[in-house]
Amino acid sequence: MIIPKCFKGMVVAFACIAVPCLNHAAGEPATAAAARAEVTRAQEAVAAAQARGALWTTARDALRTAQAALQAGDHDAAVKAARFAAQQAQLGIDQLAYPRFPE
């Protein structure tokens, strides 16, 4: 399936938001293990973005928030911030594929 360039970012953004939600039922509190897993995934995503020179400050800040929430035992906040960090890191990487200047 060919997706026009203008829609690629929207498709990626939706996938980053929708897919993680499938792993956590709505309304159920996050467990410590789930929070640790999400923070680990976010750490990996942020590291990948940083390695490619595509790290957004929103990803970095959200990861810090997730780590602090995890340490404080606020698992729901940790999961929410970690997912946002991973999403922002992926969008930073995806942005590298955009044309630098209009063609």
Side-chain angles (χ1 to χ4, degrees):
M1 180 175 166
I2 298 174
I3 300 173
K5 282 186 180 182
C6 62
F7 292 117
K8 284 185 180 180
M10 290 189 306
V11 170
V12 170
F14 176 75
C16 289
I17 293 169
V19 172
C21 293
L22 299 176
N23 297 329
H24 181 68
E28 290 184 21
T31 64
R36 279 193 301 274
E38 289 293 337
V39 170
T40 298
R41 188 174 74 85
Q43 288 170 331
E44 292 168 355
V46 166
Q50 187 170 16
R52 297 190 61 188
L55 181 59
W56 290 359
T57 57
T58 52
R60 182 198 62 212
D61 295 346
L63 177 58
R64 288 179 183 162
T65 299
Q67 291 168 327
L70 183 62
Q71 282 210 300
D74 189 349
H75 302 132
D76 288 329
V79 167
K80 183 177 178 181
R83 287 179 178 168
F84 184 74
Q87 174 197 16
Q88 294 294 293
Q90 185 59 51
L91 290 172
I93 291 170
D94 294 342
Q95 186 180 16
L96 295 174
Y98 296 167
R100 217 181 225 318
F101 300 103
E103 295 175 4

